[in-house]
Amino acid sequence: MDGARVLIAASATAVCCLACAVWIFRSSSSSFPASSNKHQPPPANFCGCASCGCRDAKSANGEMAVGGENKKKAPEPAPPEAPSMMEQLVPEITTHALSYLDYTSLCRLSMTNSAMRRAVDDDGAWKALYHKDFTVEQGTINPPNGWKAYYAATKAIINLNAEFYNIIREGSLPAMSRFWLNADYVKCIHATGEFCTGYNAVMESWGMLFNWGQDGGGQGIAFQIRDVRVRVLGEVAWVNMKANVLFHVTNVYELCNGRWYMVHHHSSLMADPPPHNMFA
C-alpha cells in the first residue's frame, strides 16, 4: 500500500515537471524567432539587409528610420507655469501687501522669479512706498517714467543731500569743490546773508566758512536736518528742509553728464530764532 502511494506521488511529480517544461518551451518560442525556420517571415522591424539590417526598417513607434538612425518625436512642450499666489490675488490686495516692504526688500523680491518681478513692477506699489518713505504732497503728480523710477531718483537726491552735510561736517573744501557744478550761474546764500554768484566766489565763501569752523573747534559744522522734501523734475531737483532748529534751507541740484551737482544753496534764519549759538 505504501509502495503504491509512492508510485502515485512520483507520477504526479513527473507530470507537473513535464507540463512546466512544455510551457517554458512555448514561451521561449513565441518571444524569440527561430533562426532555423526558413518559412517564417522576418519581423516587421527587420529589413534583412547585409550592411546594417535596419536602413528601411520601421522603428518601434512606427516612424521610418533613415541611415540607421530612428527619427524621434519632438518633445512635448512643458506645461505652462502655474500662477503664483501673488498673481492670484486681487491687484489691490497685492499692492497693499507689497506696501509693507521697504525699498531693498522689493528689489530683492523682484529678482526671485518673473512672477515676482511683474508684481513688484506694479506702479501702485511704488507710489504707496513713495508716500510712506517720503511725502504725500506729490500724490497728484504723474511721473513720466513711472513711480518706480521716480522713487529711485528721489532716493538718490536724498542721499546726495545728506552727503552735502557730511562735507560741511568734515569741513573739506576739496570735496565741496567737486560737489558743486563748475558754472557761472551757480548761487549760494549763507545764513549770514552773504550772497555769492559764480563757481569761484561760491568756493571762496565755503573756504572762509570752513576756516572759521576749524579755528573755533578744529572741525566743520554739524547740522541736524529734518522735514526733508524732494521734488525731481527732469534734470533738475530741489530739496527743502530744516537744519537744526534755526534754518530754512533750499538746495537745488542739476543733472549734468549723468551726475547730479549742486547749483544753488539758500539758508535763512527762521523767524524768532531761539537765543543761542546758531552753529551749536
Side-chain angles (χ1 to χ4, degrees), residues 1-205:
M1 191 69 173
D2 293 337
R5 291 179 178 177
V6 172
L7 182 61
I8 293 173
S11 300
T13 302
V15 171
C16 291
C17 292
L18 181 61
C20 291
V22 172
W23 180 80
I24 293 173
F25 176 77
R26 289 183 177 179
S27 298
S28 302
S29 299
S30 61
S31 301
F32 301 99
S35 58
S36 59
N37 189 0
K38 298 182 180 179
H39 301 286
Q40 184 176 359
N45 58 343
F46 287 88
C47 65
C49 63
S51 59
C52 64
C54 60
R55 183 175 181 83
D56 297 324
K58 288 187 177 181
S59 62
N61 56 7
E63 296 179 350
M64 294 300 295
V66 179
E69 296 182 356
N70 292 335
K71 291 183 179 179
K72 297 182 179 179
K73 291 183 179 179
E76 296 182 359
E81 182 180 356
S84 64
M85 182 183 67
M86 188 69 71
E87 291 179 308
Q88 297 179 27
L89 295 176
V90 178
E92 290 77 6
I93 299 178
T94 302
T95 301
H96 181 73
L98 294 177
S99 66
Y100 287 95
L101 301 179
D102 57 10
Y103 175 78
T104 304
S105 299
L106 280 176
C107 292
R108 290 175 178 174
L109 182 63
S110 66
M111 294 186 291
T112 55
N113 54 51
S114 58
M116 290 295 98
R117 183 168 58 254
R118 288 192 297 269
V120 171
D121 284 344
D122 179 72
D123 216 38
W126 287 99
K127 181 178 180 180
L129 183 63
Y130 181 92
H131 291 161
K132 183 180 70 173
D133 290 353
F134 303 132
T135 177
V136 297
E137 295 176 352
Q138 302 182 44
T140 58
I141 69 172
N142 187 21
N145 297 322
W147 281 97
K148 182 178 181 181
Y150 192 70
Y151 183 101
T154 302
K155 188 174 181 64
I157 294 299
I158 288 180
N159 293 338
L160 184 69
N161 195 68
E163 182 183 350
F164 172 66
Y165 285 97
N166 289 334
I167 293 174
I168 296 177
R169 186 178 298 110
E170 296 169 357
S172 174
L173 186 59
M176 185 64 77
S177 63
R178 294 189 297 269
F179 194 82
W180 282 76
L181 181 65
N182 191 345
D184 294 336
Y185 57 82
V186 299
K187 302 290 189 294
C188 182
I189 305 173
H190 293 286
T192 58
E194 181 184 5
F195 174 75
C196 306
T197 181
Y199 179 79
N200 293 332
V202 170
M203 290 302 103
E204 183 179 353
S205 69

